[in-house]
């Protein structure tokens, strides 16, 4: 069964947008990143479920496409996206497999090994959640900017083929949590995801 590689790349991103821990804004980028990765490893062990709201902006559409639901990461390699609106669906990435459960469609399972760019993208995003900076830097140029309260982590794909789909990923946060994740696609379209911890309450 053929599957659109662009869809897999973007789905991987949506599955992996989970909260990041805080770090001191007085540190140099190297130590700050090292501390962030260490905190990520500790955060991943908690297996949190996070609520999200998402808006996809396409230049050819008059209105943004909106969705909402929950995201979770289960170490070492399981990402789950539960879509509540507009149509219920469930996407599971476990190891090298992507399982798609969409309302009104048969359950599908895809081997990510058949889609090298998507597999590399997913590996890198799981590296973020696992706090594995060397694995992350194999696939992205990583830039960290930290202000007094707000911080930004920007990821630029190293693979030119991946860059034809995703131009950049920007994660911003305050007080130890990611508040927004913006995915800029080649061509000017973008997706904005807003996260909250209401699922943990």
């Amino acid at each position: 069964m053929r599957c659109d590689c662009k869809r897999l790349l973007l789905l991987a991103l949506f599955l992996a947008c989970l909260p990041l821990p805080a770090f001191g804004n007085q540190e140099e980028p190297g130590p700050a990143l090292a501390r962030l990765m260490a905190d990520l490893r500790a955060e991943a062990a908690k297996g949190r479920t996070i609520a999200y709201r998402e808006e996809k902006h396409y230049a050819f559409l008059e209105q943004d496409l909106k969705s909402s639901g929950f995201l979770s990461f289960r170490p070492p390699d399981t990402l789950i996206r539960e879509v509540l609106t507009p149509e219920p669906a469930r996407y599971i990435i476990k190891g090298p497999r992507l399982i798609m459960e969409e309302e009104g469609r048969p359950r599908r399972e895809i081997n990510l090994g058949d889609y090298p760019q998507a597999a590399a993208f997913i590996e890198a995003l799981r590296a973020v959640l696992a706090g594995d900076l060397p694995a992350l830097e194999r696939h992205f140029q990583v830039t960290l900017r930290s202000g007094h309260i707000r911080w930004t982590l920007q990821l630029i794909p190293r693979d030119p083929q991946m860059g034809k789909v995703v131009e950049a990923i920007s994660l911003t946060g305050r007080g130890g949590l990611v508040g927004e994740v913006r995915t800029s696609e080649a061509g000017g379209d973008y997706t904005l995801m807003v996260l909250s911890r209401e699922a943990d309450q």
Side-chain angles (χ1 to χ4, degrees):
M1 178 184 298
R2 298 186 61 185
C3 181
D4 184 68
C5 190
K6 177 177 178 178
R7 186 184 181 203
L8 282 177
L9 288 173
L10 296 177
L11 176 59
L13 172 69
F14 304 148
L15 283 166
C17 297
L18 295 174
L20 300 180
F23 48 88
N25 64 324
Q26 300 300 317
E27 297 173 287
E28 294 299 320
L33 268 176
R35 179 176 172 182
L36 177 60
M37 294 296 113
D39 286 344
L40 277 170
R41 290 191 290 273
E43 193 73 17
K46 300 176 183 179
R48 297 189 184 280
T49 297
I50 307 300
Y52 77 88
R53 291 181 292 106
E54 177 186 279
E55 295 182 1
K56 299 180 183 180
H57 174 81
Y58 294 105
F60 61 88
L61 294 179
E62 292 185 0
Q63 293 185 332
D64 292 346
L65 301 179
K66 299 180 180 181
S67 67
S68 64
F70 298 100
L71 302 165
S72 59
F73 175 57
R74 302 290 180 260
D77 61 1
T78 300
L79 303 172
I80 302 172
R81 183 190 191 203
E82 299 268 3
V83 182
L84 300 182
T85 63
E87 297 181 357
R90 191 165 188 255
Y91 303 97
I92 305 167
I93 294 178
K94 184 175 179 60
R97 295 178 296 123
L98 168 61
I99 299 168
M100 308 167 104
E101 300 173 348
E102 300 169 315
E103 190 168 290
R105 307 178 75 177
R107 182 177 186 271
R108 292 175 291 162
E109 184 171 323
I110 294 169
N111 185 344
L112 294 172
D114 295 333
Y115 305 93
Q117 270 95 34
F121 194 77
I122 290 167
E123 178 187 340
L125 291 171
R126 281 194 286 216
V128 171
L129 300 179
D132 186 346
L133 183 59
L136 179 63
E137 290 184 325
R138 281 199 297 270
H139 301 289
F140 290 96
Q141 297 176 18
V142 182
T143 302
L144 175 63
R145 296 194 301 273
S146 180
H148 180 64
I149 299 175
R150 188 179 180 88
W151 53 264
T152 301
L153 187 68
Q154 186 173 58
L155 308 177
I156 306 294
R158 294 186 184 276
D159 181 358
Q161 294 302 313
M162 193 186 300
K164 291 179 180 179
V165 179
V166 176
E167 192 172 83
I169 303 165
S170 181
L171 303 96
T172 62
R174 296 171 181 265
L177 294 174
V178 163
E180 296 181 355
V181 180
R182 182 186 175 102
T183 307
S184 301
E185 299 180 34
D189 296 335
Y190 66 87
T191 298
L192 179 66
M193 179 177 282
V194 178
L195 306 173
S196 73
R197 299 188 62 152
E198 63 184 63
D200 287 337
Q201 297 175 356

